[in-house]
Amino acid sequence: MAELLLFQLYGPLASWGEPAVGEYRPSATHPGKSQIAGLLGAALGLTRDREEELAALAGGYGLAVRIDAEGELLRDYHTTQVPPARRGRTFTTRAEELAVDDLYTILSQRDYRVEAAWTCVLWATASAPYPLADLAEALRRPRFTLYLGRKSCPPALPLRPELIDSATLKDAFAGYPLDDRLGWLKRPERHRYFWEEPLPDGLASGFTAQEKLWVVPRRDRPGSRRRWQFATRDEHHAMA
Amino acid sequence: MERFVQLHLLTAYPPANLNRDDLGRPKTALMGGAERLRISSQSLKRAWRTSDLFQEKLKGHLGTRTKRMGEEIFHRLVQGGIAEKQAREWTRQIATVFGKLKKSKDDGSIEALHIEQLAHFSPEEQTAIDTLVQRLIETKQGPSAEDLNLLRERHSAADIALFGRMLADVPRFNTEAACQVAHAITVHKVAVEDDFYTAVDDLNRGEEDVGAGHMGETEFGAGLFYLYLCLDRELLLKNLGGDAKLAERTVEALVASAATVAPTGKQNSFASRARASYILCERGDTQPRSLSVAFLKPVEAGSKGLLANAVEALEDERRRLDSAYGDGDSDAVAMNTLTGQGSLADILAYAKGGLADG
């Protein structure tokens, strides 16, 4: 048996961005390590400049995710007026930027997931900076606003953090059903699961060899935020 | 002080094309299996921030706009006993931090101390400039590179305190937005319609050809939008350097513009300006959540009408959510134009209540 923290993620829009900057900002099908670490950091009130503590959050907990509803892709067309970059000129307000005569427009495409919901499971590793119960309390009464990948994507349900003991991931997920309000969402017959290894002592994945699919590296482990660096992490997939 | 203020607004727009995609079509989103109209948060925030109302409410705290800061600095340096030639050189070094100088070479004129565009000077920057000028006079040494950097680090610009700022190349100017704005979505299913139109050529007397001079097509939609905002008041206060009075004015500017300012897109063609018909404002410390789940099932007009049904769905959902999760903020105030309940003034007073107590 291992102690696990479960919580749900649902909002009308969510965006689990890949480490891309520039014209096209894609979204993954489910939240990654950096986004969940960011969510916990916001709940605990860690500002973005506290890189070491944020790294400890990302490194201190294992993550598993179930896609409750896959939803659809929404591609948002986005225009922004910006002044040309000039040496020695830093704009401190948006109003100041817009006062410039030679504004030009930059285009970008941002992907969102709509009609989608997720359940997350966390477990503590030896280096966990907080007990799971503290994380649960922080999610109930967060210090900063929480969001699903982008600030414009607020959660539309409480995260419902729950602590349980379980022998397998599969059982833990099974004991945490989708909120009744989301009965409208189109749910798959078989859910997709993602988790990282090693699992803690006393916890098995619980998925059979037939249910297990593949192991895929994902570049979502936060390195330096300032330099926008991410390391890879192996994600185990299953369908059950 | 309760940390979070959550605002839920219902605003009905007549036929409009407020926020367009790359094909010029109104933006949409799928919710509850039905297509809805959508206005992006970016579009909303721009409309609020650039509105007269916002500018008016925050006068003096969006900074002083001037091209002439250099002239002031120069006069004070000279009065302080700095030789004119030296004073001009230092002035131009400082002024260039705030904008491109009007003249690339110093020809001895007053204009050569001005910058080309109006620049915003925040109260903190003004203080920093004053301190720097004083030090230059005392030490008789020109400004170092570090002196020139310091000028822009602190600011009390209310728009940045609310909506944040990320500068990848100068992270020290970054500010985390205190206000979270969701995309506005209609509470009901919407079909985007085509408007086929023709324009007649005024000088065509119809002697040879009586056809239209121009034909075109524009897409539009109408709807009742749900808009959700969450304001982190502690962060706002921190972003404004602890100035509670300014934080109160900023909350007023935000809430009033969210209630009354429409995005400017295609307003000349549709004049679809509208004000919120309903506002619910919650204050508390528990995890904020939008109430969009109330509209997962598209609202129908029925006999009571769309607005009444949407208000009912919203208020019912809030009660049900709070009882299901057992952690809601019981406190809230509402304004409802349908029943005459409450006013924007009530909402403003409630949203800023307790801010000054810290």
Side-chain angles (χ1 to χ4, degrees):
Chain A
M1 295 287 256
E3 189 188 38
L4 301 172
L5 169 63
L6 283 89
F7 58 91
Q8 64 184 9
L9 297 173
Y10 167 76
L13 273 74
S15 183
W16 308 117
E18 307 278 10
V21 286
E23 205 182 311
Y24 176 52
R25 323 271 177 98
S27 168
T29 56
H30 60 286
K33 191 80 170 180
S34 64
Q35 287 125 357
I36 297 303
L39 186 84
L40 296 173
L44 291 160
L46 299 179
T47 49
R48 296 182 197 272
D49 54 336
R50 291 161 76 174
E51 269 195 14
E52 274 178 32
E53 287 158 275
L54 290 168
L57 266 185
Y61 303 91
L63 172 69
V65 179
R66 173 179 69 193
I67 301 182
D68 294 320
E70 297 231 337
E72 307 264 344
L73 191 67
L74 173 85
R75 186 154 297 170
D76 193 44
Y77 173 73
H78 196 116
T79 63
T80 312
Q81 281 187 300
V82 292
R86 278 199 197 106
R87 256 153 56 100
R89 175 95 164 96
T90 306
F91 299 95
T92 56
T93 68
R94 181 70 176 136
E96 200 179 288
E97 281 189 342
L98 293 174
V100 168
D101 288 333
D102 44 353
L103 287 178
Y104 66 100
T105 303
I106 48 173
L107 307 179
S108 61
Q109 312 249 14
R110 287 149 202 242
D111 282 355
Y112 294 85
R113 311 283 326 173
V114 295
E115 305 279 77
W118 302 268
T119 299
C120 298
V121 174
L122 292 177
W123 59 89
T125 70
S127 64
Y130 306 88
L132 288 177
D134 287 9
L135 296 186
E137 185 48 30
L139 292 175
R140 271 182 214 110
R141 299 175 73 83
R143 299 285 294 157
F144 298 150
T145 40
L146 306 180
Y147 51 89
L148 312 183
R150 284 186 184 285
K151 201 143 186 172
S152 59
C153 305
L157 285 177
L159 264 52
R160 187 171 37 123
E162 233 171 67
L163 286 168
I164 61 157
D165 287 310
S166 181
T168 70
L169 273 178
K170 195 178 177 183
D171 289 346
F173 278 116
Y176 190 87
L178 189 71
D179 189 291
D180 290 342
R181 287 167 183 75
L182 301 179
W184 286 92
L185 297 183
K186 210 161 113 192
R187 277 161 295 161
E189 271 174 38
R190 292 197 300 161
H191 285 102
R192 289 168 68 200
Y193 297 82
F194 308 87
W195 71 96
E196 59 186 322
E197 292 193 351
L199 294 171
D201 285 345
L203 187 74
S205 77
F207 298 105
T208 64
Q210 287 73 38
E211 289 165 341
K212 283 187 190 170
L213 299 172
W214 42 67
V215 182
V216 180
R218 183 172 179 187
R219 191 169 289 279
D220 68 350
R221 224 164 37 154
S224 161
R225 183 186 156 78
R226 205 169 54 76
R227 288 191 294 269
W228 208 245
Q229 285 169 339
F230 296 89
T232 55
R233 172 184 72 113
D234 279 343
E235 244 188 0
H236 294 248
H237 293 212
M239 181 104 81
Chain B
M1 176 183 80
E2 295 102 330
R3 179 178 272 264
F4 300 116
V5 161
Q6 298 185 81
L7 284 163
H8 310 269
L9 297 95
L10 293 169
T11 308
Y13 286 101
N17 193 345
L18 296 166
N19 188 205
R20 305 184 285 282
D21 67 11
D22 48 343
L23 303 174
R25 208 171 165 267
K27 285 188 176 180
T28 56
L30 201 62
M31 191 168 91
E35 190 175 42
R36 319 290 179 107
L37 286 175
R38 173 172 63 93
I39 307 173
S40 74
S41 58
Q42 184 212 18
S43 161
L44 292 163
K45 287 187 283 188
R46 183 187 164 102
W48 301 339
R49 196 176 41 214
T50 55
S51 69
D52 291 344
L53 186 150
F54 198 87
Q55 302 287 329
E56 191 57 39
K57 282 243 187 231
L58 294 170
K59 217 177 210 163
H61 288 283
L62 297 162
T64 314
R65 294 183 72 192
T66 180
K67 298 177 178 182
R68 296 161 183 266
M69 188 59 82
E71 202 178 324
E72 296 272 314
I73 294 171
F74 171 69
H75 287 310
R76 283 178 29 218
L77 286 172
V78 171
Q79 273 167 14
I82 304 291
E84 239 181 74
K85 186 165 170 266
Q86 194 84 87
R88 291 191 72 89
E89 192 191 318
W90 295 350
T91 297
R92 282 172 59 90
Q93 280 177 7
I94 298 171
T96 200
V97 175
F98 296 95
K100 195 176 158 204
L101 291 170
K102 208 159 188 176
K103 297 189 171 171
S104 57
K105 285 240 165 61
D106 186 2
D107 59 3
S109 66
I110 281 296
E111 285 77 42
L113 303 175
H114 291 175
I115 52 172
E116 230 167 22
Q117 263 94 26
L118 290 171
H120 275 253
F121 293 86
S122 67
E124 285 85 352
E125 279 163 0
Q126 186 66 63
T127 312
I129 290 170
D130 294 347
T131 315
L132 179 59
V133 166
Q134 201 53 45
R135 196 162 74 234
L136 298 182
I137 291 170
E138 280 161 19
T139 61
K140 310 235 183 289
Q141 298 280 321
S144 67
E146 204 178 321
D147 285 338
L148 297 175
N149 269 339
L150 275 172
L151 292 179
R152 294 184 158 266
E153 277 191 52
R154 299 280 315 132
H155 59 75
S156 66
D159 54 347
I160 295 217
L162 272 181
F163 303 128
R165 147 126 274 175
M166 289 290 153
L167 289 168
D169 47 345
V170 246
R172 97 175 157 273
F173 297 131
N174 286 354
T175 303
E176 182 71 30
C179 178
Q180 179 183 36
V181 181
H183 293 228
I185 306 190
T186 56
V187 302
H188 51 86
K189 187 175 173 174
V190 167
V192 173
E193 297 177 66
D194 291 331
D195 180 30
F196 171 77
Y197 65 92
T198 60
V200 176
D201 188 327
D202 284 348
L203 295 183
N204 178 357
R205 299 204 177 81
E207 284 158 3
E208 285 170 20
D209 173 15
V210 290
H214 174 79
M215 291 186 298
E217 204 179 354
T218 182
E219 289 177 283
F220 66 94
L224 178 63
F225 286 82
Y226 169 64
L227 168 61
Y228 170 77
L229 283 88
C230 177
L231 178 66
D232 179 341
R233 299 196 303 173
E234 271 182 41
L235 185 56
L236 178 69
L237 206 52
K238 183 175 156 256
N239 285 352
L240 293 172
D243 186 340
K245 280 270 172 308
L246 178 56
E248 287 188 342
R249 278 169 63 187
T250 307
V251 173
E252 281 183 22
L254 172 74
V255 177
S257 49
T260 61
V261 175
T264 52
K266 290 254 185 194
Q267 284 294 356
N268 286 345
S269 317
F270 288 102
S272 54
R273 297 181 196 281
R275 296 184 161 200
S277 301
Y278 173 87
I279 307 174
L280 176 73
C281 180
E282 298 175 288
R283 220 165 63 185
D285 291 311
T286 54
Q287 186 226 307
R289 76 284 174 268
S290 97
L291 289 171
S292 68
V293 280
F295 310 117
L296 271 177
K297 181 181 176 212
V299 176
E300 309 228 347
S303 58
K304 284 195 286 184
L306 212 50
L307 181 59
N309 285 339
V311 169
E312 197 180 303
L314 186 87
E315 291 186 340
D316 283 354
E317 188 57 46
R318 175 172 181 262
R319 274 191 293 272
R320 281 197 297 263
L321 262 185
D322 286 355
S323 84
Y325 289 91
D327 65 352
D329 298 312
S330 54
D331 224 20
V333 293
M335 178 200 93
N336 186 342
T337 55
L338 210 57
T339 60
Q341 172 204 1
S343 67
L344 181 57
D346 296 343
I347 305 283
L348 294 175
Y350 184 74
K352 65 186 185 188
L355 245 178
D357 313 334

